Amino acid sequence: MSQHWKPLPDDLSEPARRLVEELRAVKDAHRISLAELGRLTYLSKASWERWLNGKRLITSQALAGLIAALDCDAVLLTSLLRQAEAARDAESAPGAVTAVAAATAVEPTAAAAPAADPVPVPLPVPVSLPVARVALWRRPQALVTVAAVAVLLLVAGLYLHGLNGGGSAAASSSGRSPAPPAVSTGALPAQLCQSVGCAGKDPQAMGCEADDHTVLTGTIGKVVLYLHYSPRCRAAWAGITDGSPGDSATVSTGTGGQETALIHWGYDNYSMMVDADAPGTILQVCGHQKDGDNCTLPLSGPAARAQALSTTAPGLTPTATPSS
């Protein structure tokens, strides 16, 4: 179902413009409406209208949903999103305009050179899981953590591989059930924590986003709330998109654990993790913004929910609605 598209805003960066054009091409190629696209990705029609008309840059979570639901060039789309995010950050950085002006003054002949078409850079991630989640620049403290973790990842993989070989026995002796079988997604980076050991830690830095499942969503007006769960890490965290500075989403376990995703600037963020493996855990995400408060439905057994989502065709699993 192709359509006559509106002209894109003039102030879009080149990678953002190319990304929107590619997203429009994917929608047209599959001949689906905005409403159908929303159902397939568990996101609102209004959100897709904003992304496909260049009003907002698509979020990494939304792009992940699109790639999981439809046949498309995952590497190209992910690369363009990262380039568009970098261009947006450069434009908003203090002194960016001054730096560009200075560069032009030093090399006046550069403007006369023909501009080469931007070439997408392949990403060193599996095609089945190609999308970076919420950008790390939204959490400056995460940059320091990732820098340290990068060194450890070279040895942590082999070490944790040995630990996982005896994971079932350790889980039985501790009273916890072993982790459910993971869906094959190619080589995954090693997770650096599990269950209670993940509480209060960053899911990106700990490698837990590699098998992230969005097990519940909810809304407050245009704001979208997410409950994320990692079967390998047996931990959960909250996400929030299409919000404004001051909006927040809090994930709670029902046993005292909770973490909050607060939007400091921009329109999205994610929280640190909570232990989702403790007996009696009931996960829920509640959001707060100027238009009011709302929560997702409570969820027990996130591992079973994640497994069901992994084995059900996109679009056939009903989306959880927020509680009143």
Side-chain angles (χ1 to χ4, degrees):
M1 181 181 295
S2 61
Q3 67 181 64
H4 178 68
W5 293 104
K6 298 178 182 178
L8 293 175
D10 293 335
D11 59 352
L12 279 183
S13 67
E14 182 59 27
R17 183 176 298 275
R18 286 196 59 200
L19 175 60
V20 173
E21 290 171 349
E22 291 292 339
L23 292 174
R24 287 178 170 185
V26 170
K27 177 185 175 299
D28 289 345
H30 288 83
R31 304 179 64 82
I32 59 176
S33 67
L34 286 174
E36 291 170 326
L37 184 57
R39 285 194 295 270
L40 286 173
T41 57
Y42 308 113
L43 295 166
S44 69
K45 173 183 174 181
S47 292
W48 279 108
E49 187 277 330
R50 289 192 291 272
W51 295 325
L52 291 172
N53 284 310
K55 298 176 182 178
R56 285 275 186 88
L57 183 61
I58 189 171
T59 66
S60 55
Q61 291 168 323
L63 186 56
L66 176 72
I67 292 170
L70 300 176
D71 180 27
C72 54
D73 191 335
V75 173
L76 173 61
L77 293 176
T78 304
S79 177
L80 288 174
L81 176 57
R82 289 185 176 178
Q83 293 176 41
E85 289 176 335
R88 178 186 59 191
D89 297 347
E91 291 173 0
S92 61
V97 175
T98 303
V100 171
T104 304
V106 172
E107 298 181 317
T109 59
D117 292 334
V119 179
V121 179
L123 304 176
V125 294
V127 172
S128 56
L129 287 172
V131 175
R133 308 292 177 177
V134 180
L136 279 177
W137 54 264
R138 296 199 182 280
R139 290 187 173 276
Q141 69 271 24
L143 296 176
V144 178
T145 304
V146 172
V149 169
V151 179
L152 297 176
L153 283 178
L154 295 175
V155 294
L158 292 175
Y159 176 69
L160 289 174
H161 178 74
L163 288 182
N164 288 339
S168 297
S172 300
S173 62
S174 65
R176 298 185 186 277
S177 58
V183 177
S184 176
T185 54
L188 296 175
Q191 81 276 16
L192 302 180
C193 66
Q194 277 193 336
S195 57
V196 68
C198 292
K201 296 180 180 177
D202 190 308
Q204 287 187 338
M206 294 294 104
C208 298
E209 283 202 332
D211 68 335
D212 167 28
H213 290 69
T214 300
V215 291
L216 283 180
T217 61
T219 58
I220 310 174
K222 67 180 181 65
V223 177
V224 185
L225 309 175
Y226 301 88
L227 174 59
H228 297 281
Y229 174 75
S230 165
R232 295 190 311 146
C233 294
R234 293 180 248 174
W237 60 96
I240 180 171
T241 63
D242 281 341
S244 303
D247 294 349
S248 64
T250 299
V251 58
S252 59
T253 64
T255 58
Q258 69 174 35
E259 292 289 344
T260 297
L262 174 64
I263 300 179
H264 299 281
W265 64 282
Y267 58 91
D268 59 10
N269 209 343
Y270 64 95
S271 74
M272 298 294 100
M273 294 183 285
V274 295
D275 176 14
D277 195 40
T281 295
I282 299 178
L283 298 171
Q284 187 172 36
V285 173
C286 291
H288 171 73
Q289 60 135 204
K290 63 182 180 180
D291 292 338
D293 301 339
N294 209 353
C295 299
T296 66
L297 295 172
L299 174 68
S300 59
R305 170 73 172 171
Q307 184 67 16
L309 290 173
S310 298
T311 56
T312 304
L316 298 183
T317 302
T319 305
T321 55
S323 59
S324 58

